[in-house]
Amino acid sequence: MNQSHTEWAYADLFSGCGGMSAGLAATDRFVPVYAADNDKWANATYAANLGHAPEQLDLLTLQDEDLRVAWAEQVRARAQGKPFLLTGGPPCQGFSSHVKVRGDRKGRNQLFSVFGDLAVALRPDVVMIENVADLVSSRSWDLFDELRSKLREAGYGVRARILNMAQLGVPQERFRTVVLATLNRTPTFPQVRCDPSNFSTVKDWIGHLPPIASGEPNPADPMHVTSRHRASTIEILRQVPQDGGSRPAGVGPECLDRTRGSHGGYTDVYGRLAWSGPAPTITARCRTPSCGRFAHPEQDRGMTAREAGLLQTFPADWQFAGPFDDRYKQIGNAVPPLAAQAFGDHIADGMPEVASEVGLFEVEDKPVGSSFSVLIPGIRRRGGVLNP
């Protein structure tokens, strides 16, 4: 059978506001049979934009084997014999470089283990996991290695690579670990679509949006509105050079100058996006200029939800449900739909060998180090690649 015309079914766990599902839908080759998340506002966004509602479910409730097997039988039956993809991004906060202690005090890292158990019970043809790059650092290596071992013992070939999503056309330097597992064969990764010379740019994706002031409502698009910044924040931004500029020394809180002088830190705080290149990673805090390089290239304000959503490659009419801050959390935690679409096409095509697989680093049998994140500034200086 020609793989390019085969219709696939998929289940999306930790489905969030629908980034992965939006990308798979854009391929016109995947049919959703199940989605689940424990976040009510993310579920509301997913349902409003994709037309089917995720189950609001804490997957830790499926730790019991009998419950897990019953769940898997019900979900698999919905696939009606189609090739089946299981995808998911277990919550990553416990793996992030911003967490200074090993593990997750709330115990949510157990969800990573539960995801592996659900994958084994469901037995899909392909498993895809997206997470932060530091999933494969020393702090979280045991969890990653446990999952990989479970899948291998169940008959899956498993590979993991650290990606810069800009290689797939996403207008961000977004570094993520992607794990692919394929039943009875070794998976391949999609072809690189962009190199540093033609990465998508901020201007490509948000340059057309109408200018707005801090906190100013936009009657044409309720997602295109910023926080109402303090006067002191706006005064700082007025002194930051346009189009990629950084906060000058002596501007803003004195503590920022002290940390810059002592160890060179926090240079992106109050920085502006640059029109001519990709954005840094869009995070749940991207509405706040004091949390990174998230100020508009020219206007004296932070990012709107519409701008953040577009830089995450969500459709231009996507509506994010919930309180103001929650919209940004949904966006920052999402898989960029454009990246999900690239993986979906590659999977539906039968995972052919490609000339140049996307990814900066192949994860083998040891951690990438105490933190992959410490390598990111150098990668950015080299134009988004691991080595010159």
Side-chain angles (χ1 to χ4, degrees):
M1 181 178 292
N2 186 334
Q3 289 281 352
S4 65
H5 297 293
T6 300
E7 188 174 71
W8 281 63
Y10 75 93
D12 189 355
L13 304 186
F14 312 101
S15 50
C17 66
M20 175 64 77
S21 288
L24 294 176
T27 69
D28 291 325
R29 302 157 89 176
F30 284 84
V31 177
V33 297
Y34 184 80
D37 201 284
N38 198 34
D39 184 321
K40 69 175 183 178
W41 291 120
N43 286 341
T45 296
Y46 187 111
N49 292 279
L50 287 163
H52 55 98
E55 181 177 9
Q56 186 156 335
L57 177 68
D58 185 344
L59 291 173
L60 286 178
T61 61
L62 297 178
Q63 288 179 295
D64 178 83
E65 184 176 4
D66 289 341
L67 292 175
R68 189 164 61 243
V69 169
W71 172 89
E73 288 176 350
Q74 293 176 7
V75 172
R76 189 65 200 237
R78 299 179 188 180
Q80 299 181 333
K82 296 181 178 70
F84 195 52
L85 166 68
L86 173 66
T87 184
C92 62
Q93 284 77 9
F95 310 143
S96 170
S97 61
H98 299 294
V99 177
K100 302 302 182 185
V101 295
R102 181 180 177 86
D104 181 350
R105 286 191 295 269
K106 294 183 179 179
R108 305 305 289 173
N109 282 350
Q110 296 176 56
L111 288 165
F112 204 77
S113 180
V114 170
F115 181 89
D117 293 333
L118 292 173
V120 171
L122 193 59
R123 204 164 176 79
D125 298 275
V126 177
V127 180
M128 178 180 170
I129 301 166
E130 186 263 6
N131 214 292
V132 294
D134 276 334
L135 167 65
V136 291
S137 69
S138 300
R139 182 188 296 114
S140 48
W141 179 259
D142 290 348
L143 285 166
F144 164 74
D145 198 41
E146 176 193 1
L147 171 75
R148 183 168 60 175
S149 296
K150 284 180 183 178
L151 292 171
R152 285 175 171 171
E153 290 168 6
Y156 287 87
V158 185
R159 290 178 65 200
R161 291 176 68 82
I162 293 178
L163 276 59
N164 181 356
M165 294 293 187
Q167 292 181 302
L168 293 173
V170 177
Q172 285 177 67
E173 299 272 35
R174 189 176 185 89
F175 300 90
R176 289 294 186 266
T177 296
V178 173
V179 184
L180 291 179
T182 312
L183 197 59
N184 300 320
R185 59 171 289 194
T186 300
T188 65
F189 279 68
Q191 172 71 31
V192 170
R193 294 186 174 184
C194 301
D195 61 34
S197 68
N198 65 348
F199 280 167
S200 289
T201 71
V202 169
K203 191 167 188 178
D204 292 338
W205 289 79
I206 69 169
H208 64 286
L209 293 175
I212 57 169
S214 168
E216 179 182 279
N218 186 279
D221 184 355
M223 298 296 107
H224 190 44
V225 61
T226 71
S227 303
R228 189 172 297 279
H229 300 309
R230 297 175 181 175
S232 58
T233 297
I234 295 174
E235 181 56 32
I236 292 171
L237 293 178
R238 284 174 178 161
Q239 299 177 70
V240 176
Q242 294 187 357
D243 195 6
S246 298
R247 179 191 63 85
V251 173
E254 292 181 4
C255 61
L256 296 176
D257 287 337
R258 289 197 296 270
T259 56
R260 183 182 290 183
S262 62
H263 58 80
Y266 305 111
T267 56
D268 280 348
V269 169
Y270 293 105
R272 291 186 184 273
L273 299 168
W275 283 129
S276 60
T281 300
I282 299 301
T283 72
R285 304 290 301 278
C286 67
R287 76 169 183 85
T288 308
S290 62
C291 289
R293 189 172 293 279
F294 298 134
H296 190 274
E298 296 175 355
Q299 299 162 42
D300 298 327
R301 59 171 179 79
M303 200 178 297
T304 69
R306 177 63 69 217
E307 288 165 340
L310 288 172
L311 292 173
Q312 274 279 61
T313 70
F314 278 96
D317 59 352
W318 207 264
Q319 300 299 307
F320 298 94
F324 188 82
D325 281 356
D326 208 276
R327 299 170 189 171
Y328 291 87
K329 182 180 78 171
Q330 294 172 44
I331 293 166
N333 289 342
V335 177
L338 190 63
Q341 182 179 357
F343 275 93
D345 280 330
H346 182 69
I347 290 166
D349 282 341
M351 287 191 168
E353 298 288 339
V354 299
S356 180
E357 288 184 311
V358 68
L360 306 177
F361 188 94
E362 182 90 15
V363 180
E364 301 288 355
D365 294 323
K366 62 181 181 180
V368 298
S370 60
S371 173
F372 183 83
S373 298
V374 300
L375 303 176
I376 290 176
I379 293 170
R380 286 180 175 149
R381 285 193 298 272
R382 292 187 292 271
V385 296
L386 185 60
N387 296 308

